[in-house]
Amino acid sequence: MPESTVLPEQDRALLPSDDDVRFYAEHGWYLSPKLLTDDEVDALVAASEEYYAGRRDRELPLRPEKLSYWTPEDGEVQRNNDYIHYESETIGAILRKPIIAATAARLARVDLIRLFQATLLYKPPQPDEKSNIVPWHFDKYYWATSSSEDMITAFIPFHHCDEEMGTITMVDGSHRWDEFRGWDSRNGHAAVPGDTEREHLLTEVSRRNGAEVVKLPMTIPKGHMTFHHCRLYHGSAANRSDRPRRAISLHLQDGANAHRDHRLATDSRQTAYKHDELLRKLPDGSPDYSDPEFCPVLWQS
């Protein structure tokens, strides 16, 4: 078993309890105890600043078409940089801390967790900047070529993160909603939080499910993080504070996940994820979502 899957004795008490696992199954999200030390969080800040200044420990061998990759030329908009775990060794090493993946495995009730993708996030303190608003969405929408329904995302802020900073907001229990045909059409899927004209998405989906829309902005202390199910609707509002909101969105896959052929419900077009260009190929030509170069095993029980 890889060394990274060994959980230090002092971390075992940090794992979700049986009640926490039941809560996650019902609500679709979980706020962790302190899983990162202050020094580790501060190291993430320092490494991210070095990254923004141009440092790369290694670079992607190619730039997938759908890659999110902020550069200084883009200006003071929200920054999104995919594959941060690959290009920054300091950040990658912290994201591989066993307690993070062990927590995900416990919540998802699986025995193996691989890294799927990690995106470095930065919201400048500009409340009027439209890019600061993240539309309502669920992650599985972007991962339609993934076979698993147990994938999970950890949202990891680099500081105390609250509603003023544009924290992640969960739509409680929405991972249990049935989706109507066309959810993957890329037509009307996203709705901007607070935009009444486009709130129809949540209203319509919840109505069809006989459910109430309950929006919960997460207050996340430094060193803590949230985990959410791949079908849970979530989004975030603008950063109204006087400092940038820094975070990583760490996407995790269970061991059973694999590439699948998927065509849009509305027009039968083939969908693809950015991985599909980057990962090694299986004998049948499909991308290998267990490629250890980009999707290493983080936890195995």
Side-chain angles (χ1 to χ4, degrees):
M1 189 164 63
E3 183 179 352
S4 63
T5 65
V6 176
L7 192 64
E9 182 69 30
Q10 66 271 21
D11 285 349
R12 294 182 185 175
L14 300 175
L15 287 171
S17 67
D18 290 345
D19 285 344
D20 292 331
V21 175
R22 285 190 287 269
F23 180 93
Y24 174 80
E26 179 180 355
H27 296 270
W29 60 272
Y30 168 72
L31 175 61
S32 80
K34 188 166 185 169
L35 302 185
L36 297 179
T37 67
D38 287 350
D39 286 346
E40 288 170 328
V41 177
D42 294 343
L44 288 173
V45 174
S48 68
E49 283 300 297
E50 291 179 352
Y51 179 87
Y52 290 137
R55 174 171 179 167
R56 303 291 186 273
D57 294 310
R58 56 180 177 175
E59 295 189 1
L60 293 173
L62 57 87
R63 297 285 182 91
E65 179 184 355
K66 298 179 181 179
L67 185 73
S68 294
Y69 207 86
W70 179 90
T71 64
E73 290 74 25
D74 296 321
E76 278 302 284
V77 296
Q78 180 172 198
R79 307 177 190 179
N80 294 270
N81 289 88
D82 293 335
Y83 297 99
I84 187 62
H85 65 289
Y86 183 87
E87 293 200 320
S88 170
E89 179 51 37
T90 297
I91 292 176
I94 294 172
L95 296 181
R96 293 191 295 271
K97 188 173 183 179
I99 184 59
I100 300 176
T103 295
R106 178 112 171 91
L107 293 172
R109 303 182 187 187
V110 298
D111 59 9
L112 190 146
I113 290 288
R114 291 189 182 92
L115 200 153
F116 190 67
Q117 216 277 96
T119 301
L120 180 64
L121 308 170
Y122 178 108
K123 280 190 181 189
Q126 297 180 4
D128 295 330
E129 172 52 50
K130 292 182 179 180
S131 67
N132 269 351
I133 297 177
V134 178
W136 298 119
H137 66 286
F138 56 81
D139 297 333
K140 179 65 175 177
Y141 167 74
Y142 300 101
W143 305 335
T145 55
S146 287
S147 62
S148 174
E149 296 290 335
D150 294 316
M151 296 172 71
I152 189 168
T153 294
F155 176 73
I156 308 171
F158 296 179
H159 43 68
H160 179 91
C161 190
D162 56 22
E163 192 168 5
E164 183 185 29
M165 299 193 77
T167 189
I168 189 169
T169 296
M170 312 298 190
V171 180
D172 193 52
S174 57
H175 66 304
R176 294 185 284 113
W177 295 353
D178 289 331
E179 290 297 324
F180 51 88
R181 179 172 172 78
W183 68 267
D184 58 354
S185 68
R186 300 194 184 276
N187 179 21
H189 172 80
V192 177
D195 184 337
T196 55
E197 182 178 349
R198 300 181 67 191
E199 287 283 334
H200 71 275
L201 169 71
L202 292 180
T203 302
E204 177 64 11
V205 179
S206 62
R207 182 188 66 79
R208 295 191 184 201
N209 282 272
E212 180 184 1
V213 176
V214 178
K215 304 169 188 174
L216 301 175
M218 297 286 107
T219 297
I220 309 170
K222 182 177 179 178
H224 300 234
M225 60 192 72
T226 60
F227 293 78
H228 63 263
H229 189 277
C230 63
R231 283 193 176 272
L232 186 84
Y233 279 97
H234 59 286
S236 62
N239 179 4
R240 296 179 285 104
S241 76
D242 59 359
R243 56 203 183 281
R245 195 208 75 176
R246 305 169 184 265
I248 282 176
S249 187
L250 175 61
H251 305 306
L252 302 166
Q253 57 177 323
D254 53 289
N257 186 51
H259 177 270
R260 66 170 184 173
D261 183 80
H262 183 81
R263 297 181 182 275
L264 296 180
T266 51
D267 57 17
S268 297
R269 282 180 295 146
Q270 177 67 50
T271 60
Y273 184 65
K274 60 199 76 175
H275 274 6
D276 299 358
E277 299 176 57
L278 195 59
L279 304 185
R280 70 185 182 184
K281 299 299 184 288
L282 295 169
D284 65 0
S286 62
D288 182 3
Y289 285 2
S290 65
D291 183 345
E293 184 77 0
F294 296 95
C295 303
V297 172
L298 302 182
W299 176 258
Q300 184 174 352
S301 59

